[in-house]
């Protein structure tokens, strides 16, 4: 969203109204999913990845920082939550907190290292750190290597909500997604978010105005990583396992793909992109490895015909802020 018109739309009361109306519609549609006959595990998985893509979009779409290693937050939170639930016997709420906190700490460490560089150098450092963690988790005893952590107990959230019940688990995941999405929405529309956008557009100008841009970028990186970890901790309850797949570089590529297909720098683009990619994986699974080829073709088609992404093109055509 680089045009002045788009920025103006974002800041206006009309834009805020449009975004809240769309958010309300999405929340209502998602709330009635268990009663529509739609496969709930597909939607739960899509919601986890939608939150992950939104967290990534906060970093690249509004901070201008392209990370090729966001899978490390997803996988780290997943492993830590799974270990806390299965080995330590912690209740679900503490398991989620453990995974999210681990991702936050990882965000501080990796952010402090990578934020010192810009552009492709920043991207390559995040990719290298992610792959470093991948090989650590491959050898670490608590991750069980290629087998991963299986059979994770779902338990009772706050001692009340039975997560083994599909409907209960669905609404817990939905509430987690909505809370994470609202936090991102609030961040984007805060003074902190405005500074992030100014850094994205012209970092030297922001520095000349007195902003310590490295600190803002580091905070954005930590927040993005923490929310990505929160998505990973929620995903553990859906998949009931934590595996190396969530830490592999290809997962980081899928996150980028989801964001670009939906619409980079849009509020709802990553959500749509995540549902599109997960739907393809779910319903085209019979094609085997050809699913990746099909995804590549769709991605190329989107880049050529919908350069702003699906949501970006819709927002541009109808003059809306989405």
């Amino acid at each position: 969203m680089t045009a002045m018109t788009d920025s103006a739309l974002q800041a206006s009361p009309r834009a805020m109204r449009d975004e809240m109306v769309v958010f309300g519609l999405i929340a209502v549609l998602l709330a009635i999913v268990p009663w529509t006959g739609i496969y709930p595990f597909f939607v739960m998985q899509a919601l986890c990845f939608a939150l992950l893509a939104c967290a990534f979009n906060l970093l690249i779409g509004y901070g201008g920082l392209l990370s090729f290693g966001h899978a490390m937050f997803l996988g780290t939170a997943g492993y830590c939550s799974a270990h806390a639930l299965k080995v330590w016997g912690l209740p679900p709420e503490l398991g989620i907190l453990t995974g999210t906190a681990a991702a936050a700490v990882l965000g501080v460490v990796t952010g402090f290292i990578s934020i010192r560089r810009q552009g492709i150098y920043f991207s390559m450092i995040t990719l290298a750190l992610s792959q470093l963690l991948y090989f650590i988790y491959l050898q670490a005893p608590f991750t069980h290597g290629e087998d991963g952590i299986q059979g994770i107990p779902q338990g009772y959230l706050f001692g009340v909500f039975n997560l083994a019940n599909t409907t209960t688990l669905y609404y817990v995941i939905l509430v987690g997604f909505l809370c994470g999405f609202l936090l991102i929405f609030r961040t984007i529309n805060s003074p902190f978010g405005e500074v992030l956008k100014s850094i994205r557009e012209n970092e030297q100008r922001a520095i000349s105005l007195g902003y310590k841009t490295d600190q803002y970028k580091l905070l954005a990186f930590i927040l993005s990583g923490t929310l990505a970890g929160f998505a990973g901790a929620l995903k553990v309850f859906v998949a009931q396992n934590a595996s190396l797949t969530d830490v592999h570089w290809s997962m980081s590529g899928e996150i980028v793909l989801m964001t670009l297909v939906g619409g980079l720098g849009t509020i709802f683009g990553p959500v749509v992109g995540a549902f599109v990619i997960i739907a393809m994986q779910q319903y085209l699974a019979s094609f085997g490895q050809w699913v990746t080829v099909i995804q590549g073709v769709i991605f190329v088609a989107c880049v050529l015909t919908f350069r702003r992404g699906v949501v970006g093109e819709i927002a541009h055509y109808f003059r809306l802020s989405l």
Side-chain angles (χ1 to χ4, degrees):
M1 302 183 72
T2 58
M4 290 298 293
T5 306
D6 295 335
S7 300
L9 276 171
Q10 275 193 314
S12 70
R14 177 194 167 190
M16 291 287 290
R17 183 197 64 195
D18 292 341
E19 291 165 357
M20 293 309 298
V21 167
V22 173
F23 174 79
L25 290 173
I26 291 176
V28 170
L29 291 174
L30 290 173
I32 64 175
V33 163
W35 318 108
T36 60
I38 299 175
Y39 187 48
F41 285 97
F42 155 69
V43 182
M44 284 189 282
Q45 186 181 17
L47 286 174
C48 293
F49 280 104
L51 179 57
L52 174 63
C54 287
F56 174 75
N57 185 53
L58 172 65
L59 186 65
I60 182 176
Y62 296 93
L65 298 172
L66 173 58
S67 168
F68 284 149
H70 248 51
M72 62 183 169
F73 301 113
L74 177 74
T76 296
Y79 274 127
C80 291
S81 291
H83 187 77
L85 291 166
K86 187 173 183 178
V87 179
W88 295 346
L90 296 183
E93 61 273 14
L94 293 183
I96 294 173
L97 184 61
T98 300
T100 305
V105 172
L106 179 63
V108 173
V109 176
T110 56
F112 184 77
I113 296 172
S114 58
I115 213 70
R116 298 169 179 268
R117 296 293 179 264
Q118 297 179 353
I120 192 62
Y121 302 104
F122 169 83
S123 303
M124 289 298 102
I125 289 175
T126 57
L127 176 60
L129 291 171
S130 180
Q131 283 302 98
L132 174 64
L133 282 175
Y134 172 83
F135 288 109
I136 290 175
Y137 292 146
L138 179 62
Q139 301 295 330
F142 84 97
T143 64
H144 302 285
E146 295 182 353
D147 294 331
I149 304 177
Q150 307 290 335
I152 300 167
Q154 294 171 312
Y156 286 79
L157 185 68
F158 302 115
V160 177
F161 303 104
N162 182 12
L163 299 185
N165 181 281
T166 303
T167 303
T168 303
L169 177 61
Y170 175 82
Y171 283 112
V172 168
I173 299 297
L174 175 59
V175 170
F177 164 75
L178 293 177
C179 290
F181 184 89
L182 285 175
L183 177 59
I184 294 172
F185 178 79
R186 182 68 187 93
T187 301
I188 291 170
N189 292 283
S190 68
F192 174 78
E194 294 301 321
V195 175
L196 272 185
K197 295 170 194 173
S198 69
I199 294 173
R200 175 197 64 191
E201 297 297 332
N202 193 328
E203 183 172 355
Q204 294 304 316
R205 178 72 179 273
I207 292 174
S208 70
L209 293 174
Y211 292 108
K212 297 181 179 180
T213 57
D214 283 348
Q215 294 182 7
Y216 280 91
K217 290 190 292 185
L218 178 59
L219 286 175
F221 188 88
I222 295 171
L223 179 58
S224 178
T226 302
L227 288 168
F230 179 54
L234 292 177
K235 182 177 174 291
V236 163
F237 294 92
V238 179
Q240 286 189 273
N241 70 73
S243 66
L244 287 170
T245 304
D246 292 339
V247 201
H248 196 258
W249 64 266
S250 59
M251 179 60 71
S252 296
E254 285 192 16
I255 299 169
V256 176
L257 182 62
M258 292 173 186
T259 306
L260 293 179
V261 168
L264 179 66
T266 61
I267 302 292
F268 300 100
V271 179
V272 173
F275 271 84
V276 169
I277 299 302
I278 298 301
M280 283 194 295
Q281 294 176 351
Q282 181 76 28
Y283 295 105
L284 300 178
S286 59
F287 289 95
Q289 294 183 347
W290 283 96
V291 173
T292 306
V293 177
I294 296 172
Q295 286 181 352
V297 171
I298 292 176
F299 174 67
V300 171
C302 286
V303 170
L304 294 176
T305 58
F306 305 106
R307 301 193 65 179
R308 298 181 180 88
V310 176
V311 173
E313 289 293 341
I314 294 173
H316 179 74
Y317 183 81
F318 290 102
R319 305 289 299 160
L320 298 173
S321 177
L322 298 175

